[in-house]
């Protein structure tokens, strides 16, 4: 069975400091992993994806994530937070080999950026 | 540019009304999804469809039905709206794994959401 755990429901950082949003997954096979961002009253926008290529994945707006199979983790990082990064972030796993076309969402992490 | 369009951004309905939420995608995707999003619960899958006239129940299908008569359109129906269905509803689409030719294309694209209030 597939599942996703986002370890923090809320994260607060100061502007200019690093961001770390944690995600652990369980999957019976090599999964596809995604991070989406949702700004207030908006739909979800894809930040980055891992699909069995390079384990360090670079996304938009300076975000990146590293796939660590031994730790079943896919944490999202950014070296320096910007005010515009304040949003809800969702970690998502898909296991297309075993479960076809479904996607499994974490419960989200709300990022606050303090000026 | 890829696009998933939900027909309404905001809806207010009364208890017992029949409610239709419409979603259209222009990417020729086989798969379409309906989620509801509630604070602290993330996104929960209501129904998905992997082809025209095909549907599968998600995690919380009770009180909902869906219709997929055309590939580009996926409708969510609340047969008799109740106050506990007040929520944000998100539609998404994706290529089917087998036809994408690549895991790199296994991506969901989302609409902007419909915020439904049932009074």
């Amino acid at each position: 069975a597939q599942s996703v755990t986002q370890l923090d429901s809320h994260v607060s950082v100061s502007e200019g400091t690093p961001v770390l949003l944690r995600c652990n997954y369980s999957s019976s096979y090599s999964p596809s992993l995604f991070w989406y961002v949702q700004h207030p009253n908006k739909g979800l926008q894809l930040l980055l994806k891992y699909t069995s290529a390079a384990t360090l994945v670079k996304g938009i707006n300076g975000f990146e994530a590293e796939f660590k199979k031994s730790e079943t983790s896919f944490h999202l990082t950014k070296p320096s937070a910007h005010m515009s990064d304040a949003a809800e972030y969702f970690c998502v796993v898909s296991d297309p080999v075993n479960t076809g076309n479904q996607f499994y969402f974490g419960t989200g992490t709300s990022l606050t950026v303090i000026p | 540019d890829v696009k998933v369009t939900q027909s309404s951004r905001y809806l207010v309905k009364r208890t017992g009304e029949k409610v239709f939420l419409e979603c259209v995608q222009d990417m020729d995707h086989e798969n379409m999804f309906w989620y509801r999003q509630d604070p602290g619960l993330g996104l929960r899958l209501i129904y998905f469809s992997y082809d025209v006239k095909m549907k599968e129940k998600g995690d919380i299908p009770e009180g909902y039905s869906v219709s997929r008569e055309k590939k580009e359109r996926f409708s969510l129906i609340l047969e008799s709206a109740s106050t506990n269905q007040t929520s944000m509803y998100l539609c998404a689409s994706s290529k089917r794994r087998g036809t994408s030719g690549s895991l790199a294309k296994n991506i969901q694209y989302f609409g902007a959401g419909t915020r439904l209030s049932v009074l």
Side-chain angles (χ1 to χ4, degrees), chain B residues 97-117:
Chain B
R97 163 70 179 90
T99 60
S100 72
S102 167
L103 281 174
K105 294 183 179 178
N106 183 38
I107 297 170
Q108 276 190 323
Y109 296 89
F110 283 84
T114 297
R115 187 167 293 284
L116 173 66
S117 295

Side-chain angles (χ1 to χ4, degrees), chain B:
Chain B
D1 197 15
V2 298
K3 201 156 188 182
V4 179
T5 303
Q6 294 183 230
S7 54
S8 304
R9 290 299 308 277
Y10 301 94
L11 274 180
V12 180
K13 297 292 181 180
R14 295 200 179 277
T15 303
E17 278 192 78
K18 191 169 186 176
V19 182
F20 293 86
L21 303 184
E22 306 287 348
C23 176
V24 177
Q25 50 95 4
D26 64 359
M27 295 166 282
D28 200 36
H29 284 169
E30 292 82 9
N31 302 324
M32 296 188 75
F33 307 79
W34 275 107
Y35 297 90
R36 65 176 281 176
Q37 182 181 17
D38 301 287
L41 298 177
L43 273 71
R44 292 180 291 167
L45 181 65
I46 305 171
Y47 269 97
F48 75 98
S49 168
Y50 52 89
D51 205 344
V52 175
K53 297 191 186 295
M54 306 303 287
K55 61 185 180 184
E56 293 277 348
K57 292 180 180 179
D59 300 318
I60 50 164
E62 296 78 19
Y64 303 94
S65 62
V66 290
S67 172
R68 184 108 182 260
E69 296 297 318
K70 293 185 178 181
K71 189 175 186 180
E72 67 271 19
R73 186 179 296 269
F74 191 37
S75 302
L76 179 69
I77 304 154
L78 286 65
E79 297 289 342
S80 177
S82 63
T83 54
N84 63 13
Q85 293 178 308
T86 292
S87 187
M88 168 73 94
Y89 290 88
L90 291 166
C91 176
S93 71
S94 71
K95 290 290 287 181
R96 185 184 301 154
R97 163 70 179 90
T99 60
S100 72
S102 167
L103 281 174
K105 294 183 179 178
N106 183 38
I107 297 170
Q108 276 190 323
Y109 296 89
F110 283 84
T114 297
R115 187 167 293 284
L116 173 66
S117 295
V118 182
L119 306 178

Side-chain angles (χ1 to χ4, degrees), chain A residues 7-23:
Chain A
L7 296 159
D8 306 293
S9 57
H10 295 93
V11 170
S12 269
V13 300
S14 296
E15 189 176 17
T17 64
V19 176
L20 170 64
L21 305 183
R22 298 182 294 166
C23 173

Side-chain angles (χ1 to χ4, degrees), chain A residues 41-68:
Chain A
N41 298 313
K42 303 281 188 183
L44 274 70
Q45 179 186 17
L46 180 67
L47 268 181
L48 49 80
K49 62 183 186 295
Y50 165 78
T51 52
S52 77
T55 56
L56 182 62
V57 181
K58 293 189 184 299
I60 61 172
N61 301 335
F63 283 94
E64 61 183 38
E66 186 171 8
F67 173 67
K68 292 187 177 180

Side-chain angles (χ1 to χ4, degrees), chain A residues 23-26 66-75:
Chain A
C23 173
N24 286 96
Y25 69 92
S26 67
E66 186 171 8
F67 173 67
K68 292 187 177 180
K69 189 172 183 178
S70 61
E71 299 177 10
T72 61
S73 69
F74 190 58
H75 301 333

Side-chain angles (χ1 to χ4, degrees), chain A:
Chain A
Q2 283 61 239
S3 70
V4 179
T5 302
Q6 291 183 243
L7 296 159
D8 306 293
S9 57
H10 295 93
V11 170
S12 269
V13 300
S14 296
E15 189 176 17
T17 64
V19 176
L20 170 64
L21 305 183
R22 298 182 294 166
C23 173
N24 286 96
Y25 69 92
S26 67
S27 177
S28 57
Y29 197 68
S30 293
S32 296
L33 292 158
F34 309 83
W35 276 99
Y36 283 84
V37 60
Q38 184 182 32
H39 288 92
N41 298 313
K42 303 281 188 183
L44 274 70
Q45 179 186 17
L46 180 67
L47 268 181
L48 49 80
K49 62 183 186 295
Y50 165 78
T51 52
S52 77
T55 56
L56 182 62
V57 181
K58 293 189 184 299
I60 61 172
N61 301 335
F63 283 94
E64 61 183 38
E66 186 171 8
F67 173 67
K68 292 187 177 180
K69 189 172 183 178
S70 61
E71 299 177 10
T72 61
S73 69
F74 190 58
H75 301 333
L76 181 71
T77 60
K78 183 174 180 178
S80 176
H82 191 272
M83 294 300 295
S84 61
D85 295 328
E88 188 90 13
Y89 291 80
F90 292 95
C91 182
V92 183
V93 64
S94 171
D95 184 356
V97 174
N98 288 313
T99 61
N101 299 283
Q102 286 206 52
F103 295 76
Y104 298 87
F105 283 75
T107 52
T109 298
S110 176
L111 176 65
T112 299
V113 182
I114 304 164

